[in-house]
Amino acid sequence: MSATTSIISALESIVGKQYILTEPAKKQPYTKGFRFGAGDALAVIRPGSLVEIWRALKTCVEADIIVIMQAANTGLTGGSTPDGNNYDRPVVVISTMRIDDIQLINNAEQFIGLAGSTLFGLEDTLAPYGREPHSVIGSSCIGASIVGGICNNSGGALVQRGPAYTELSLFAQIDADGQLVLVNNLGIKLGDSPEEILINLENKNYRADDVEFPNKRASDNEYHERVRDVDANTPSRFNNDGRRLYESSGCAGKLAVFAVRVDTFPIPEKQQVFYIGTNDPAVLGKIRRDILSTFKNLPVSGEYLHKDCYDASKKYGKDTFLVIDKLGSKYIPKMFSMKRTVDRIADNLGFLPAKMSDRIMQYMSYLFPNHLPKRMEAFRARFDHHWILEMSNDGVDEAQQYLAEFFKTNEGDFFECTKEEGDKAILHRFVAGGAIGRMHAMKAKELGSVMTIDVAFPRNEKDWFETLSPELDEQIAVKLYYGHLFCHVMHQNYILKKGVDAKKVKNQILATFDQRGAEYPAEHNVGHEYLAKDALRSFYQELDPTNSFNPGIGKTSKLKHWAEHDSNKPCC
């Protein structure tokens, strides 16, 4: 029996034959990134319990096999899949999505999310208690995992809560001697041996008095003060921020995370969405500064859309909008699964065009009438810049009074959304994220490469809206801007003209960010697309000294013990 066959057999005995994938077509949904990156793996396994994960990890560590932990695979920078095939050891992907239990503790003020638990599952679990998760916008609609969010310091659109963060987690780590160890920092007494701890947690075999309350954060409870400091010359949140790199938080797969303990939040008694339009970005900048520095109540969120992005989202995000609006967000993971199946079949047939599923869904969307509210459409005809401001409780009255007075003397206008208008405005902003990919798929023959950048500008930046040099602007066919204006995190998407060197243009744009004191990426983590700066690289090396979990992340070494490639030797 070969070494490969022996490993496959050992993993099969742990998870069961039906939950180990070795055929290329079946592995693809797990070895190809949601938007970026792809590579091969010896196998993909889908454990059904925490103990199965632990046993699979032990098998891989003993065989000197690289492990890539993967949850929902909804990341945008390729950080949860293999990247290329230039690793020095075989790769196994462990998908955690079968293990999705959520346990409420302390009267639902906190929860334990197991490895594959999702945000929309958490929303449903918390709703009867009048509570909601750290994040209820955007990623929850495509089935993003809770643990994945913590591992990547994701999100931060909700102004009062900041990025996903906790100091309470349960994880496996490979130490400097190559030994696999289990670390229980959940703050719950679960036993002594690894398998005892994992079994007791999964079966919720613990009592209320086993739950401890150490002096550790289960959310970024300082963020509300940080975002209010509008004169600071650093960004409010970004992935390289050493303040919020702690064990599982920000680990980007350099640990195998079994569970996290995170705060929940009360659902506001009163909420109101305000739709703001202007032709001067400085107007939105002034409103932002005024609200953050003078309001007693922080906003819930503030989502920005440029007019071109508005139009692209309307045309190329329409099908996703309609699915969520009519069928609910829970249907989105099924839709993406069907898309992957259609594309895989089309790719195998060869004579069908790439991105076949996108083409089908785009043409189907033309059959439906305009889905956007009339007042939003009227603002699109008048204004270049659109801002969806959401306030809660006493903040609603503050915003009503402020905006009514502000627009007496400033350019622009606003209206208070009905419940339906507010929901559709937020949904329209959300589907903008996929619009650029769809646009490129439909116009691939006439357009060049796609570039997506999420960047965090300093809190005191006033010229937040990008103005490119004529030299750069000439090379770009499409620019789509949207983002989270209160924290100055912008998503800047570009489709280049045919024949333009995408890497060169991206480096030139990133250089302009460096000059302005910006940080990138802001919330999607480095993945295999961005360079991990010193703080992040050191954090990864400390967590994973043998470089056996998710090597290569942040453009770091893929070799064991963080060795550098020898240019005179071919990499295996």
Side-chain angles (χ1 to χ4, degrees):
M1 181 183 292
S2 70
T4 297
T5 304
S6 177
I7 293 299
I8 297 296
S9 178
L11 293 172
E12 187 177 290
S13 69
I14 295 170
V15 301
K17 188 172 184 178
Q18 67 271 43
Y19 295 115
I20 183 167
L21 311 175
T22 56
E23 297 176 20
K26 292 183 179 179
K27 290 188 293 183
Q28 188 186 55
Y30 306 89
T31 58
K32 185 175 182 180
F34 181 73
R35 182 188 287 175
F36 177 89
D40 196 14
L42 176 68
V44 175
I45 63 171
R46 301 178 58 235
S49 70
L50 298 180
V51 168
E52 286 185 5
I53 294 179
W54 173 256
R55 292 172 180 171
L57 288 172
K58 287 180 65 178
T59 298
C60 290
V61 171
E62 290 168 3
D64 199 20
I65 287 175
I66 287 169
V67 172
I68 296 178
M69 300 295 296
Q70 183 184 98
N73 194 17
T74 58
L76 300 181
T77 56
S80 58
T81 65
D83 181 61
N85 299 311
N86 59 336
Y87 296 91
D88 62 344
R89 293 150 287 171
V91 176
V92 166
V93 176
I94 300 181
S95 171
T96 63
M97 294 305 288
R98 293 178 60 211
I99 310 166
D100 59 358
D101 190 33
I102 293 168
Q103 303 172 6
L104 302 182
I105 59 175
N106 194 27
N107 299 315
E109 291 184 10
Q110 290 185 332
F111 71 91
I112 308 294
L114 300 194
S117 55
T118 63
L119 283 170
F120 64 69
L122 180 58
E123 287 184 50
D124 286 349
T125 302
L126 290 174
Y129 298 86
R131 315 252 335 155
E132 62 185 10
H134 152 270
S135 178
V136 293
I137 185 173
S139 294
S140 58
C141 292
I142 57 173
S145 76
I146 294 163
V147 168
I150 293 292
C151 291
N152 291 294
N153 289 139
S154 298
L158 299 188
V159 181
Q160 301 163 22
R161 303 174 193 178
Y165 182 76
T166 187
E167 295 170 1
L168 300 165
S169 64
L170 173 66
F171 57 88
Q173 184 173 30
I174 301 173
D175 64 21
D177 296 323
Q179 299 299 307
L180 184 71
V181 294
L182 187 72
V183 180
N184 179 15
N185 284 340
L186 272 179
I188 302 176
K189 296 176 183 177
L190 294 166
D192 299 313
S193 71
E195 293 204 2
E196 179 187 14
I197 290 169
L198 296 170
I199 289 170
N200 284 338
L201 176 62
E202 192 155 14
N203 294 331
K204 205 176 180 182
N205 186 23
Y206 56 88
R207 300 166 300 180
D209 57 6
D210 290 323
V211 179
E212 300 171 328
F213 294 89
N215 186 26
K216 291 186 176 182
R217 295 182 177 89
S219 61
D220 188 351
N221 59 2
E222 295 176 335
Y223 182 76
H224 63 284
E225 298 173 359
R226 186 172 177 84
V227 76
R228 279 190 181 275
D229 188 359
V230 294
D231 292 316
N233 62 0
T234 57
S236 57
R237 61 183 177 96
F238 55 98
N239 288 127
N240 280 297
D241 186 359
R243 294 172 53 256
R244 288 297 175 257
L245 299 175
Y246 187 94
E247 296 180 345
S248 296
S249 293
C251 75
K254 302 304 286 184
L255 301 172
V257 182
F258 291 91
V260 293
R261 176 174 167 182
V262 186
D263 290 333
T264 69
F265 301 86
I267 296 174
E269 296 178 4
K270 180 180 180 182
Q271 286 185 282
Q272 177 64 53
V273 173
F274 300 87
Y275 199 94
I276 300 169
T278 180
N279 289 307
D280 182 359
V283 167
L284 299 187
K286 178 167 174 46
I287 296 173
R288 169 191 172 270
R289 288 180 64 87
D290 287 349
I291 290 177
L292 290 178
S293 60
T294 67
F295 276 34
K296 291 182 180 179
N297 302 277
L298 276 175
V300 174
S301 65
E303 296 298 295
Y304 168 78
L305 272 175
H306 181 258
K307 65 174 182 178
D308 294 337
C309 193
Y310 181 109
D311 294 344
S313 183
K314 177 182 175 181
K315 182 174 182 178
Y316 295 106
K318 184 177 181 179
D319 56 308
T320 306
F321 182 106
L322 292 173
V323 167
I324 296 173
D325 187 46
K326 304 302 180 185
L327 301 178
S329 61
K330 285 186 178 180
Y331 192 78
I332 289 296
K334 295 179 182 178
M335 185 180 82
F336 281 110
S337 177
M338 289 189 291
K339 274 174 52 52
R340 285 194 295 264
T341 300
V342 169
D343 288 339
R344 187 170 68 245
I345 293 171
D347 289 345
N348 289 337
L349 291 176
F351 60 87
L352 292 173
K355 304 282 186 180
M356 188 66 188
S357 64
D358 283 290
R359 294 174 182 274
I360 293 170
M361 295 177 70
Q362 185 62 36
Y363 289 128
M364 288 180 63
S365 73
Y366 296 152
L367 301 175
F368 295 85
N370 186 1
H371 55 292
L372 297 180
K374 292 181 179 179
R375 288 202 290 179
M376 278 178 59
E377 291 285 77
F379 264 45
R380 167 59 191 92
R382 295 171 59 193
F383 301 118
D384 290 353
H385 303 279
H386 299 246
W387 199 18
I388 305 158
L389 170 64
E390 186 174 6
M391 303 294 297
S392 64
N393 298 332
D394 292 343
V396 173
D397 293 336
E398 276 192 295
Q400 286 171 334
Q401 295 169 15
Y402 170 84
L403 292 173
E405 193 65 29
F406 180 88
F407 283 111
K408 288 180 180 177
T409 55
N410 289 275
E411 186 271 336
D413 201 356
F414 82 102
F415 64 87
E416 295 182 34
C417 295
T418 64
K419 178 66 166 62
E420 181 182 5
E421 287 173 330
D423 289 345
K424 288 189 173 183
I426 292 170
L427 182 52
H428 182 59
R429 154 62 188 90
F430 163 67
V431 300
I436 191 166
R438 173 66 59 78
M439 177 188 286
H440 188 256
M442 299 301 295
K443 298 184 176 185
K445 291 183 179 180
E446 58 193 85
L447 296 173
S449 301
V450 176
M451 292 190 332
T452 61
I453 301 174
D454 70 303
V455 57
F457 292 109
R459 285 164 281 176
N460 65 354
E461 176 64 77
K462 293 184 178 179
D463 296 324
W464 58 272
F465 186 72
E466 182 173 68
T467 302
L468 291 172
S469 68
E471 177 196 357
L472 279 171
D473 208 39
E474 169 61 25
Q475 301 179 76
I476 299 172
V478 178
K479 299 189 295 287
L480 299 180
Y481 299 130
Y482 59 94
H484 319 296
L485 198 55
F486 281 114
C487 53
H488 266 175
V489 168
M490 296 297 295
H491 300 282
Q492 306 195 160
N493 303 271
Y494 315 87
I495 305 180
L496 304 182
K497 293 179 180 178
K498 276 286 188 185
V500 171
D501 185 338
K503 185 175 181 181
K504 180 180 178 182
V505 171
K506 186 166 188 174
N507 286 338
Q508 289 175 317
I509 292 175
L510 294 180
T512 68
F513 296 160
D514 293 336
Q515 293 166 6
R516 298 168 64 185
E519 292 280 354
Y520 50 86
E523 61 184 14
H524 292 160
N525 216 338
V526 290
H528 290 285
E529 191 173 7
Y530 293 94
L531 178 72
K533 296 181 181 178
D534 290 344
L536 201 54
R537 178 188 293 261
S538 297
F539 178 61
Y540 292 160
Q541 290 178 319
E542 179 184 346
L543 294 181
D544 184 19
T546 67
N547 203 22
S548 298
F549 282 132
N550 208 10
I553 200 79
K555 299 187 181 295
T556 59
S557 170
K558 292 182 178 179
L559 305 183
K560 193 170 183 179
H561 296 295
W562 299 87
E564 294 300 325
H565 284 289
D566 185 340
S567 59
N568 296 316
K569 294 181 180 179
C571 180
C572 56

